[in-house]
Amino acid sequence: MSSLPSDLRYTKDHEWLRLEKDGTATIGITDHAQAALGDVTFVDLPKVGATFAEHAVFGTVESVKAASDLYCPVAGTIVGVNAELNGSPDLVNREPYTGAWMIRIKLDNAAAAQALLTADQYKQLL
Amino acid sequence: MSENLSRTPLYAFHVANGARMVPFAGWEMPVQYTGILEEHLAVRRTAGLFDVSHMGECRVTGKDAAAFLDRVMTNTMATIPVGMARYTILCQPDGGCVDDLIVYRLGPEEFLICLNASNAPKDIAWLRAQVDASQVKIADECAQWGQLALQGPAAEAILSGLTSVKLDTIKRFAFVVATVANVSGCIISRTGYTGSPGFEIYLPAASATKVAEAILAAGKPHGLLLTGLGARDSLRLEAGYPLYGHEISEVISPIQAGLGWTVKFSKPEFIGREALKKQADGALPSSVILFSLADRRIARQGTPVFAGDHKVGEVLSGTHSPMLNKPIGTALISSDALAKGNLTVDIRGNRIPLEISAEPFVK
């Protein structure tokens, strides 16, 4: 297992979140999650403008083995989705923390991200 | 891993080779080693080696062995030549399936039957209960045998270095008793469950690891990969092969499953004949079909099938086809709805048209 980026926040559902300088946050799934899923064949993502409550299902990731829900770590409005995943869903397996980011969200409450797990806290769950 | 799971003789081999082990049919089995897609493509392009030692075996011997098997199986057994195998269904009186099997004829009065892992005890008890006055012995040999499946276009080249048998003389569904990697008493059979050419090898359980190591070493230069149950499932679905508990079951008959070719009504009597004949003559409530989707979402087992707003069936198996690069699957659909067409599946609120395929996706 590769090391966990220390600048990210994490959830017990194996999503990661990065706070950007403009106050939005980028969200994806962790290396642990992609390894457990196996070969990813499709990522079902929401449309820009959609709003989600904290822990609402914002999409689905399909692997050969199973379809798994994606949970929004924080409440907010979608301001961007990663269109590259449409053509290259396998990016989730290859670059879970970089190329395979899934959504960018404008947080309803900028402080909400601080309640998420740190890399050290997340590591305890694995 | 939960308790009470059986392990095949190759358990340590799997762990040493990096397998991810999962519970399957009461066994702890490798679902994948490197990745399901890669393993799937290895079987289609070069070769893959599967441990299928969880499958069961029983030996039926005696003066009445052939007649007995003809009475319990849907396919014709007495006409199997020695050295050949035949696929058949074991049916209940109501036409439902006890199991699907491959029967190998070892001698005039001797047959070896390959049973599905989770059904093996049930099958053996079922066979024994049908013996009546027949002079047959039914021996449970599940623990004695290991089984490997070497599948893919390079299978023959790989195996040819490990046995003196001329493999090109083994026709499809033929077999020989042979020595493989210095292990005697193996059965090499040109059969498989992938839709790619290859062999299944029955071998003494105690020697399974030795043979697997030899095949792995011989196969590496050809690009052979160790392959798990994940790839086995996507391969068999592309090839349109049924899996017990999905396309056939105690409530889905061989006629419904499109396996009518295994049911020989020319035999005057066999268990299930009357019920199956009615179905074959038109009284078929529902049928199993193969489908693909022009979408990326996979319709998995249990996904409902609709005609308009009416639920008319459900998905039995579903996966991603690496060869077609789209979702494929099987579904059980009412005969009325099938005749009318225009069917959809509902995946998480998305209605996706079902594209029914008359042919397997890989031949």
Side-chain angles (χ1 to χ4, degrees):
Chain A
M1 177 90 30
S2 59
S3 64
L4 294 171
S6 59
D7 58 327
L8 305 181
R9 294 293 185 135
Y10 299 87
T11 71
K12 62 176 173 46
D13 300 309
H14 310 287
E15 285 92 16
W16 57 260
L17 176 149
R18 184 176 62 231
L19 268 181
E20 307 293 351
K21 291 194 180 69
D22 64 1
T24 64
T26 305
I27 291 165
I29 65 169
T30 66
D31 186 51
H32 175 83
Q34 70 77 20
L37 287 167
D39 296 315
V40 171
T41 58
F42 178 62
V43 187
D44 211 347
L45 293 176
K47 291 195 163 53
V48 168
T51 60
F52 293 96
E54 182 184 322
H55 206 65
V57 173
F58 73 82
T60 310
V61 57
E62 292 248 21
S63 71
V64 178
K65 278 184 287 188
S68 305
D69 287 334
L70 298 163
Y71 296 100
C72 204
V74 291
T77 304
I78 304 294
V79 295
V81 298
N82 187 353
E84 288 231 6
L85 295 179
N86 237 338
S88 305
D90 54 318
L91 272 177
V92 176
N93 297 114
R94 292 188 282 117
E95 303 175 7
Y97 296 117
T98 52
W101 68 273
M102 290 176 176
I103 55 172
R104 195 153 290 151
I105 193 165
K106 184 172 177 296
L107 284 68
D108 288 350
N109 171 8
Q114 302 306 322
L116 300 175
L117 304 174
T118 64
D120 280 344
Q121 289 167 330
Y122 177 62
K123 196 178 288 177
Q124 304 299 316
L125 300 178
L126 304 181
Chain B
M1 199 75 50
S2 64
E3 64 272 35
N4 298 329
L5 291 175
S6 303
R7 290 177 174 178
T8 77
L10 288 168
Y11 177 83
F13 172 87
H14 299 315
V15 172
N17 282 287
R20 181 180 299 173
M21 307 300 288
V22 298
F24 175 82
W27 293 75
E28 204 172 343
M29 297 297 291
V31 65
Q32 65 172 60
Y33 301 81
T34 47
I36 293 173
L37 292 178
E38 190 182 356
E39 292 169 27
H40 182 112
L41 294 172
V43 170
R44 292 281 180 247
R45 292 170 184 164
T46 56
L49 180 63
F50 301 85
D51 174 19
V52 285
S53 301
H54 59 310
M55 303 291 278
E57 297 84 8
C58 75
R59 190 182 298 251
V60 178
T61 52
K63 192 167 69 68
D64 296 335
F68 167 74
L69 292 176
D70 260 331
R71 182 157 59 77
V72 295
M73 306 293 187
T74 59
N75 210 336
T76 311
M77 300 283 106
T79 58
I80 305 175
V82 173
M84 292 293 292
R86 193 165 287 172
Y87 177 75
T88 184
I89 311 291
L90 183 62
C91 272
Q92 305 164 164
D94 68 359
C97 301
V98 178
D99 204 358
D100 64 334
L101 313 161
I102 294 183
V103 179
Y104 295 81
R105 190 163 204 168
L106 302 174
E109 298 180 358
E110 187 171 15
F111 297 83
L112 187 72
I113 307 180
C114 178
L115 318 163
N116 275 305
S118 56
N119 287 340
K122 175 185 83 168
D123 293 350
I124 292 171
W126 177 273
L127 290 172
R128 285 180 173 154
Q130 315 302 328
V131 167
D132 281 338
S134 298
Q135 292 195 29
V136 291
K137 267 177 57 182
I138 297 162
D140 179 342
E141 298 193 353
C142 295
Q144 286 160 245
W145 294 97
Q147 253 192 69
L148 298 169
L150 174 59
Q151 300 279 301
E156 188 163 333
I158 293 165
L159 192 57
S160 65
L162 300 172
T163 179
S164 57
V165 171
K166 289 232 180 311
L167 295 172
D168 58 2
T169 64
I170 306 176
K171 296 178 295 181
R172 183 146 169 78
F173 272 82
F175 67 91
V176 294
V177 178
T179 296
V180 179
N182 298 315
V183 173
S184 61
C186 300
I187 294 172
I188 303 175
S189 142
R190 194 182 286 276
T191 48
Y193 192 51
T194 61
S196 286
F199 301 93
E200 291 175 308
I201 304 163
Y202 295 72
L203 65 182
S207 303
T209 301
K210 185 181 167 190
V211 176
E213 300 275 13
I215 293 174
L216 178 60
K220 280 251 165 92
H222 293 269
L224 172 140
L225 290 184
L226 293 175
T227 41
L229 291 180
R232 188 167 162 83
D233 192 53
S234 53
L235 288 159
R236 69 96 191 166
L237 259 182
E238 276 185 349
Y241 293 138
L243 173 61
Y244 190 87
H246 292 252
E247 289 74 28
I248 55 170
S249 70
E250 288 174 359
V251 295
I252 305 177
S253 79
I255 304 293
Q256 288 173 284
L259 298 169
W261 63 273
T262 68
V263 182
K264 296 294 157 48
F265 293 114
S266 53
K267 292 196 294 180
E269 207 179 320
F270 60 87
I271 296 174
R273 187 181 191 280
E274 201 178 327
L276 293 169
K277 189 75 173 73
K278 278 187 192 148
Q279 293 185 2
D281 287 345
L284 206 54
S286 56
S287 297
V288 178
I289 54 94
L290 275 172
F291 68 83
S292 64
L293 304 177
D295 199 272
R296 304 297 292 274
R297 297 172 184 87
I298 296 169
R300 298 183 193 270
Q301 185 180 12
T303 301
V305 177
F306 286 93
D309 290 330
H310 295 285
K311 188 187 169 203
V312 295
E314 68 178 40
V315 173
L316 302 170
S317 299
T319 193
H320 169 82
S321 162
M323 298 306 282
L324 278 65
N325 197 26
K326 62 182 180 181
I328 59 169
T330 58
L332 183 67
I333 298 173
S334 79
S335 302
D336 290 350
L338 264 182
K340 292 187 191 125
N342 278 327
L343 304 172
T344 58
V345 282
D346 186 304
I347 307 178
R348 301 185 293 275
N350 301 284
R351 287 294 178 92
I352 301 162
L354 208 59
E355 298 180 0
I356 294 177
S357 175
E359 299 284 325
F361 301 108
V362 166
K363 275 184 278 186

